[in-house]
Amino acid sequence: MRLLVVEDDAEVASRLQADLRRAGYAADVTGDGDEAAYLGREEAFDAVVLDLGLPGRSGLEVLAGWRRAGIEVPVLILTVRDAWYERVAGFEAGADDYVGKPFHTAELIARLGALLRRRHGLPAGPLAVGGLRLDEQAQEVVTPARARHELTATEFRLLRYMMHNPGRVLSKTALSEHIYEYDDERDSNVVEVYIRRLRRKIGAERIRTRRGQGYELQA
Amino acid sequence: MRSLKLRLAVGLGASLLVLLGLQYVLVNGAIRGTAEHYLADGLSHRAETLIGALEWEADGAELEVPDAAYRRPYSGHYYRVEAGDATFRSRSLWEAELPLPELEIGEHRQWRTAGPQGQQLLVRAVAVQARGEPVRVAVAEDLSPLYAEVRDFQWRYALIAVGVAAALLALQWGLLAVGLRPLERLREQVAALGRGERRELDSDVPAEVRPLVAELNRLVRVLEDRLQRSRRATGNLAHALKTPLTRLFQLAEDPEMPPTVAARLREPAQQIRERVDRELKRAQLAGGSPAQRFDPGREVPALIRVLERTYAEQAPAIAYDGPPPGQACGEREDLVELLGNLLDNACKWARSRVAVHVAIEGEGLALTIADDGPGVPAEQRAALTERGGRMDEQVAGDGLGLAIVNDLVAAYGGSLRFATADLGGLAVHVALPARTTGASDGEDDA
């Protein structure tokens, strides 16, 4: 799962980025409205955390621009402007959730998780696919046999993304786009390495390889 | 006299009556004078005729007058002529006397006197020299018929004058009403301005009040500008405070921070946040300025959509019962804030259902927000509006919502009441009165 954080206060942004990474997300940060608009159009984010008071272009304009362009990425507005009429305006511009600043990191992360599950049509609560359960707090996977396996950061991102898209064929490029940040070195062959490691932990039969197309997590 | 219309009407009416009265007196005097003058001319002519009618014999003068009016007793036409030693009296005098003063030759005199049978006589006397003899003549005519006709005229004239005065007074009243109508319209517009139904007064007014209207409009704009500026300023202040506050929150939740330090940091940070939030909301109260109006039929469904998304996990069913779009009342941002907080609170506690009821009552507003949650026992309801009143660690949020609602309702001079809802949970009833004067700006307590 890869997120875009649009926040013009550098310190808030970098701490939030660190918190989100700790929570198992790939997180890109920008503090500029125009750059945010561009990144939202060009990159494959799973969700955006959007501040409203931005230099360049206001957050609401950025959001409205994406929605006009048909970009349906889930957007959580994170702003100091949290009067109810401002919330109404935010949702009318196309926001999916709204959190006022200052915020509790745990609550923000919980809301983001819920937003992502909702967007992928998954039920609320712990992420589970075909008896496989992901403990997002501990970043461990629990097999139907109740065996717990610790996951590295990249493994966790990869499995979480696949568990949000069960039964869908995901190309190596798509997978790398959703688990790496903008500045990371992307090598789709590395994806193969992580798939192999995941198979060792959750069982090889759970991830099917579709030749020339990609991988599919069995629902 | 406080009414401009009454003052003008009395002034104009009084001057009209004085004018008509003066005219009446002058016209009557002139008519009477003219008639008497005419009569006097006639008398002078008769005197000459009498003198001309004297026939001089050797032993004195003889007078033969053919006019029948001089023969009928008390006809109103009389004469007395003294020519030399002879004296002639008209037969009409009968037993009455017409006095003839001693006049120098060439002198003449005119006077009024009482005649026989209550007649009022105008008498003219002349003295001339004829055939070497002094001749004195007095002719008289009764004024009563003339006076009767003048009185008759006076009556008719008075009647017409009264009619004209009444018509003119009515016309004046009507003209005043028409002339003062722009002021009445202005008064209504000023009232509408106070209620927030208009943003400015029409400038299409008579020249006399145009400066007043322009000044009022300027003041309204200044007030609105000032409100906007102060809102922007508080918004900026909030931004400026909340961003470092966000850093403090992040710091307090930093896993690398020793837990004891983090805990000590968290509490003051939370206190600052509550204070900033509450003061910000209070400062943002519109204070009775004419800004955007609250249209419940449009705003409440929009708010409900916001809450349905915010509480997508719990997915409460929120029902709206209220006026359709197009009916507005009160100030938008304040009322959206009020309803947003109440709905948020209701959704937080609801099991599955929330009901919103909105009614516009004249210029006032009645709101009921009910949920099917656990409710609040009667004895604990008083504490609801205190800061963090409905604090519960299990439910997200900080319990500030109802405190903000309380501030808002107080600023509007409204009432806030808690009851048990038909749905089973808490019902919050809010009644906001019509807002004709500005709300207090919420600086009354700390």
Side-chain angles (χ1 to χ4, degrees), chain B residues 42-104:
Chain B
L43 282 180
S44 148
H45 180 68
R46 278 164 198 258
E48 278 166 25
T49 310
L50 284 170
I51 294 166
L54 280 171
E55 286 180 18
W56 296 89
E57 309 286 323
D59 53 346
E62 278 299 321
L63 185 63
E64 204 62 49
V65 183
D67 198 335
Y70 287 129
R71 286 202 291 274
R72 202 169 61 248
Y74 307 129
S75 67
H77 293 269
Y78 312 104
Y79 65 80
R80 181 190 175 92
V81 176
E82 287 172 12
D85 302 329
T87 296
F88 309 99
R89 291 169 63 247
S90 65
R91 270 187 56 181
S92 55
L93 275 171
W94 209 249
E95 287 176 345
E97 276 303 321
L98 188 61
L100 184 55
E102 295 294 323
L103 295 173
E104 301 296 316

Side-chain angles (χ1 to χ4, degrees), chain B residues 183-201 216 288 290 293 363 434-437:
Chain B
L183 286 183
E184 179 59 24
R185 212 170 55 224
L186 194 62
R187 202 179 58 82
E188 282 164 10
Q189 288 187 2
V190 169
L193 203 65
R195 288 194 300 270
E197 287 165 14
R198 324 182 123 248
R199 306 195 64 150
E200 60 171 20
L201 305 172
L216 270 173
R293 308 250 297 146
E363 272 300 302
R435 199 168 181 195
T436 47
T437 54

Side-chain angles (χ1 to χ4, degrees), chain A residues 2-3 6 17 43 47 56 68 77 163 165 169 177 200:
Chain A
R2 182 176 168 207
L3 308 178
V6 186
Q17 187 180 33
E43 295 289 315
R68 269 199 305 279
I77 292 180
M163 286 179 77
N165 298 281
V169 181
E177 273 177 351
R200 272 207 294 277

